[in-house]
Amino acid sequence: MNDQVWDAGLQPERTALAWQRTALASIVTALGTIRLALHHSSIAAVVIASLALALGAATIIGLRVRYRRSIRRLASGRPIGLLGPALLTSASIAALGCAAIVLLLR
């Protein structure tokens, strides 16, 4: 009988799916913001939304590369480092959110 509760290979997959949902939400929000900004002729909003759109696309591309690298590291028994890309993406999204709030409050 197998006493192992979880499969180590599933953790990178769950993490990749969570980041994919985050990136897709960022892309959808950016597209909606671009549409509203074009309707109201706000150049700053279009720039912020375009940056969010680019960040979402870069996150999707990066997560696919990271997922493959994580699977290879797991197969070889090496640990997986997660802090760098997650911290960079989170900080970028937070900065874009702050810029959007400043834009709305002006």
Side-chain angles (χ1 to χ4, degrees):
M1 191 150 162
N2 190 356
D3 291 337
Q4 188 174 6
V5 177
W6 59 280
D7 180 12
L10 293 178
Q11 183 179 1
E13 185 173 353
R14 286 191 305 267
T15 302
L17 289 171
W19 277 105
Q20 185 174 10
R21 286 189 302 270
T22 301
L24 290 175
S26 174
I27 289 171
V28 169
T29 303
L31 290 174
T33 304
I34 289 172
R35 182 173 177 194
L36 287 174
L38 290 175
H39 182 67
H40 295 291
S41 300
S42 175
I43 299 298
V46 171
V47 170
I48 290 171
S50 297
L51 289 173
L53 185 64
L55 179 64
T59 301
I60 287 178
I61 292 167
L63 78 86
R64 292 187 188 277
V65 171
R66 182 109 179 122
Y67 175 72
R68 288 186 190 110
R69 186 180 305 144
S70 297
I71 293 300
R72 276 188 261 124
R73 289 183 77 104
L74 274 175
S76 67
R78 294 181 296 177
I80 302 171
L82 297 174
L83 186 58
L87 185 60
L88 179 64
T89 303
S90 299
S92 301
I93 289 173
L96 287 172
C98 290
I101 288 171
V102 168
L103 181 65
L104 288 173
L105 294 177
R106 86 179 165 119

